Amino acid sequence: MLSTGRFVRTSITLSRLLPVGRLACSPRTQIAVSCYRSDGGSNSSIFLPKRDLRTASWPMPVLADHSNLFMSTGRVASVGPLGILKRVHLSIFRRSASTTASETVESGHGRRTVDAPIVGYWTLFCASMVFGIIVWGGLTRLTESGLSIVEWAPITGAKLPTSDAAWEAEFEKYKQFPEYHKVHIGITLDDFKKIYFMEWFHRNIGRLFGVVYLVPAAYFVSKGLVSRAGIAKIGGLGLLLLGQGAMGWYMVASGLEKELGERPDAVPRVSQYRLTSHLSLAYLLYAGLSLYGWNVFRANRLVDKKVANPEVLRALLQKPEVVSYRRKITAATLLVGTTCLSGAMVAGLDAGLIYNEFPTMGLGITPPLSELWSQHFARGDPSAMWRNLTENPATVQLGHRILAMTTFFTLSALWWQGRKLPLPRAARVTLHAMYGLAWMQVALGISTLVNFVPIAYASAHQANSVLLLASALGLYHSLRPLPRLML
């Protein structure tokens, strides 16, 4: 018997350690494996069952304490012409077990249970690309450039016009739609090139993101680097990506309708409903990619035993007060997302260009009720007064103010409560970051409003909203229970 260490069960595929030809025994035989200490400690032997050495995986007792231990194979029942497998340092077996765990983790049925770390790096890189696309999309909206390209050409539209004739052709197409006659009246070709580039670049980074997502996804799945659950998640996020592209054009099409040029009171701009839907899918894609990447890293850290005292952390995260706090953070994260989407409604209606003071709106805290609940937006239908909530700029701005301040005070209360809880270090750092970003978001929102929506302030306000959502998601993730991985 071995004097130190305890036995644990793992699965090692010998054919992954050395080429088959060096496993110098017949395909069906029995191997005696001895474990012994280099410092002269007592030895222990085990026998591997008769299996096909080229394909089989055996359960093998391995000491938890790896220090100074070696493995070697004893004489086998049937020896091949190349001799037997000689002494192998246990670190090789340990590396194989680690590879099996963190790079090719498989269950007893040969199925991967943990995605490879590179999958986590890839998804987080994709999330950073989505962040950039959201910010650039906001700039495209703020510069009123989103309707400059009037055709949907996913392949041929990737090329920017290069000749004067090509630019003139694009300009003539643009002149046929309402925005040219009501918003960019008398715009020159040089000015048109500027807004065209803004929209062209936005579409092209979307195309690039599609390639960066779909090509590696296919590679990782084909190479077996993704678990079955991971394949489902990647597929779902891929569908969300395709839906995002389709929604983008559906949104643009709403601003190209001829009716907008025929109605005197109509402003040629995209539907606020479709704009909000477009942004919603972007936020969902960002959140999904971020959570997926964080989950991959967390699982691999557990498998590679890089999480200090996992059982202590697991017990901490299961304490009733921490579980209750996690539920509150979940609700607060949904509140942050809802507030972000109400900001999309404000942008879609240009509602930030009215009532440019804070905390008042005109002569009082709120505008008159007759303005907030106007018959005009019901379009003669008394049962459609609800349209004020989504189409009346004053009501939409008031709603965004209420949501924003509710979100801020909620996050402030959670920050105060979290300071007194025994949270893990990562959660505590994320909590403070979230609180700081909440203050920044309020400051940027008020500055954007009172300065009549300057592009720099408005863009920073939108970018910070994504960071605030990321911090809330990160806090939620850091408080989730640790998974128990079956290796």
Side-chain angles (χ1 to χ4, degrees):
M1 295 294 295
L2 289 169
S3 59
T4 61
R6 60 184 180 85
F7 285 100
V8 294
R9 307 281 299 179
T10 187
S11 177
I12 299 177
T13 304
L14 292 183
S15 61
R16 289 180 181 169
L17 299 179
L18 294 172
V20 174
R22 295 181 63 185
L23 296 175
C25 50
S26 65
R28 296 188 178 277
T29 186
Q30 187 177 62
I31 291 183
V33 178
S34 61
C35 303
Y36 61 94
R37 299 185 64 89
S38 60
D39 57 2
S42 56
N43 301 341
S44 176
S45 297
I46 63 169
F47 289 87
L48 302 178
K50 293 182 178 181
R51 297 281 181 87
D52 188 340
L53 290 177
R54 293 166 295 187
T55 59
S57 296
W58 291 281
M60 180 180 293
V62 179
L63 282 176
D65 180 9
H66 294 157
S67 59
N68 298 322
L69 286 174
F70 292 82
M71 275 192 170
S72 67
T73 56
R75 182 70 61 180
V76 299
S78 176
V79 181
L82 298 180
I84 62 173
L85 183 66
K86 299 298 183 181
R87 286 173 50 163
V88 181
H89 194 284
L90 184 59
S91 62
I92 296 179
F93 287 87
R94 183 172 57 185
R95 184 180 186 281
S96 175
S98 175
T99 300
T100 304
S102 63
E103 297 177 12
T104 58
V105 175
E106 297 176 352
S107 67
H109 302 288
R111 296 171 183 166
R112 172 180 282 277
T113 57
V114 175
D115 298 336
I118 192 173
V119 177
Y121 287 110
W122 163 66
T123 52
L124 290 184
F125 177 76
C126 288
S128 68
M129 285 194 68
V130 174
F131 171 77
I133 292 172
I134 290 174
V135 173
W136 190 267
L139 286 170
T140 303
R141 174 73 183 86
L142 289 166
T143 55
E144 296 182 326
S145 306
L147 299 178
S148 57
I149 301 179
V150 298
E151 294 177 334
W152 176 242
I155 305 300
T156 59
K159 182 180 179 182
L160 189 69
T162 55
S163 64
D164 292 340
W167 276 114
E168 287 290 351
E170 292 296 323
F171 195 26
E172 289 301 319
K173 294 176 186 177
Y174 177 67
K175 290 180 179 179
Q176 299 175 18
F177 291 89
E179 188 181 60
Y180 172 77
H181 301 282
K182 287 191 170 185
V183 178
H184 295 149
I185 304 171
I187 187 175
T188 65
L189 179 59
D190 288 338
D191 291 333
F192 172 72
K193 289 180 180 179
K194 295 176 183 177
I195 63 173
Y196 187 98
F197 177 80
M198 293 292 294
E199 175 65 8
W200 174 84
F201 190 76
H202 182 53
R203 294 191 186 191
N204 266 19
I205 54 178
R207 291 184 178 100
L208 177 62
F209 174 71
V211 174
V212 170
Y213 184 85
L214 296 176
V215 173
Y219 175 80
F220 293 144
V221 171
S222 67
K223 293 298 183 180
L225 299 176
V226 186
S227 65
R228 177 174 293 184
I231 292 174
K233 293 175 184 177
I234 288 175
L237 291 170
L239 292 175
L240 194 59
L241 165 62
L242 296 177
Q244 170 73 345
M247 178 56 71
W249 172 247
Y250 183 59
M251 175 191 69
V252 170
S254 67
L256 300 175
E257 296 176 356
K258 299 294 185 179
E259 181 186 357
L260 296 173
E262 298 169 357
R263 287 170 42 200
D265 61 334
V267 178
R269 59 189 175 207
V270 299
S271 164
Q272 72 272 23
Y273 300 110
R274 300 185 193 183
L275 174 63
T276 303
S277 299
H278 186 52
L279 188 62
S280 299
L281 292 177
Y283 275 97
L284 284 174
L285 191 58
Y286 176 81
L289 289 167
S290 298
L291 288 173
Y292 185 21
W294 294 336
N295 285 335
V296 170
F297 284 131
R298 191 186 214 191
N300 278 278
R301 283 177 57 82
L302 282 171
V303 168
D304 294 337
K305 303 186 185 307
K306 293 182 179 179
V307 176
N309 301 317
E311 293 303 323
V312 174
L313 179 58
R314 183 174 284 111
L316 173 63
L317 295 175
Q318 291 175 345
K319 287 186 175 182
E321 60 269 28
V322 176
V323 172
S324 175
Y325 188 70
R326 182 176 70 243
R327 291 171 181 164
K328 294 175 183 177
I329 292 298
T330 302
T333 302
L334 294 174
L335 182 59
V336 170
T338 302
T339 305
C340 291
L341 299 184
S342 75
M345 295 293 290
V346 171
L349 291 170
D350 290 328
L353 297 176
I354 62 174
Y355 292 114
N356 300 99
E357 58 269 332
F358 188 88
T360 60
M361 294 182 71
L363 299 178
I365 297 297
T366 67
L369 182 60
S370 58
E371 183 179 351
L372 293 173
W373 210 246
S374 172
Q375 292 283 350
H376 171 74
F377 295 97
R379 302 171 192 170
D381 183 1
S383 64
M385 291 293 288
W386 60 267
R387 288 198 179 99
N388 281 278
L389 297 173
T390 56
E391 298 181 10
N392 185 336
T395 309
V396 169
Q397 189 195 119
L398 176 62
H400 185 60
R401 289 189 183 207
I402 293 173
L403 278 172
M405 299 314 299
T406 301
T407 301
F408 173 73
F409 287 120
T410 298
L411 297 181
S412 298
L414 289 173
W415 173 78
W416 185 262
Q417 180 185 2
R419 291 169 61 250
K420 304 175 183 178
L421 293 176
L423 301 180
R425 182 175 181 274
R428 192 169 297 280
V429 171
T430 309
L431 175 64
H432 294 318
M434 182 184 71
Y435 187 51
L437 289 169
W439 272 101
M440 180 68 70
Q441 186 67 359
V442 170
L444 286 171
I446 295 174
S447 299
T448 301
L449 179 69
V450 300
N451 288 286
F452 295 89
V453 195
I455 292 177
Y457 287 13
S459 180
H461 185 52
Q462 183 178 36
N464 194 76
S465 73
V466 183
L467 297 178
L468 180 59
L469 178 63
S471 66
L473 285 169
L475 180 55
Y476 159 76
H477 176 265
S478 66
L479 295 176
R480 293 182 65 189
L482 290 182
R484 294 189 180 275
L485 303 174
M486 300 300 295
L487 302 183

